[in-house]
Amino acid sequence: MATMEIDGRRVAFDSGDTVLAVARKNGIAIPTLCHHPGLASYGGCRLCVVDVTRPEWEGWRRLVTACEYAAEAGLVVVTNSERVVRARRTVVDLLLARCPSTPFVVELARTLGLSETSFAPRDEPDDCILCGLCVRVCAAVGADAIGSAGRGVDKQVGPPYAPPNYDRPPGLAPAADCVGCLCCAHICPTGHIRFTDDGAARTIWGRDFTVVRCAGCGAPLGTPAQLAHFAAKSGLAASYFERCDTCRKEETARAMSRVVG
Ligand code: FES
């Protein structure tokens, strides 16, 4: 098996691994913001930067994003060099200017020894750190109902064609394609994406949904649009989504016990 070096340790890796994956498999911590193991890497936040070099580079090194950089035989990675820490502090310093009172960001800054930003804080801060997780999970699992718009400090996440002053969900423009699956809200690290759900009704992105219940136990399942979307996307029969995971497992166990007698 091919090997590389991380922080002085020789570690093996599998073809297709990223530096981040190899580090995590070996218990070596690299902080991340925009990375999620269930989604393709995006390289947006730059928090996971590490120093890489190779023996034949004769001392030349470069900073790369560990979540995107492919593991290679002979690669030498340093996860905590002075310039790595400096780069991460700059990333978090900028984040703190964008979200000065967001607990997640304040705590992240604290871990890097920052208590306040050295940049001008945003005039009207919100909790969106622009990690892009909500947009990517909506594209991968949901109905591709939201995206990012604008640039620089004005960049924001929301439904397409939202008015320019759309900035706080549920906001002014409902997300027409949203199926109410809540994937975006659940993956958001800061709780920026607001929703309500009382088990019978759900609101998110300016849309109101009813919530249907499991045909077996009556537990809340999801919105009709969400279940229809999952059925279409997975190719499974719509009836598969009429029961919760627990009831489906019990049903399978009962069927298996009948088969084996
Ligand atoms: S976690 Fe790698 S760039 Fe965000």
Side-chain angles (χ1 to χ4, degrees), residues 6 9-13 17 20-29:
I6 306 182
R9 279 174 57 190
R10 183 138 305 277
V11 291
F13 64 90
D17 276 351
L20 178 67
V22 182
R24 290 193 167 165
K25 275 184 208 167
N26 287 279
I28 298 166

Side-chain angles (χ1 to χ4, degrees), residues 32-35 43-48 65 67:
T32 58
L33 262 187
C34 69
H35 175 76
C45 74
R46 324 303 286 180
L47 190 67
C48 67
T65 47
C67 69

Side-chain angles (χ1 to χ4, degrees), residues 17-20 52 57 62 64-72 75:
D17 276 351
T18 61
V19 168
L20 178 67
V52 296
W57 289 359
R62 59 184 290 219
V64 301
T65 47
C67 69
E68 294 184 299
Y69 203 87
E72 314 164 344
L75 193 70

Side-chain angles (χ1 to χ4, degrees), residues 151-240:
R151 307 179 73 166
V153 291
D154 294 325
K155 190 170 177 181
Q156 55 188 330
V157 167
Y161 312 119
N165 57 349
Y166 183 103
D167 63 354
R168 287 181 186 80
L172 300 174
D177 295 330
C178 177
V179 293
C181 67
L182 303 185
C183 286
C184 57
H186 289 315
I187 206 169
C188 175
T190 66
H192 172 66
I193 299 175
R194 312 277 195 269
F195 69 96
T196 63
D197 186 345
D198 64 6
R202 186 180 285 180
T203 62
I204 186 164
W205 293 113
R207 298 280 310 276
D208 299 318
F209 299 92
T210 54
V211 174
V212 293
R213 292 181 170 266
C214 170
C217 66
L221 265 188
T223 73
Q226 170 190 350
L227 303 180
H229 174 73
F230 287 172
K233 198 156 183 147
S234 63
L236 293 166
S239 57
Y240 178 85

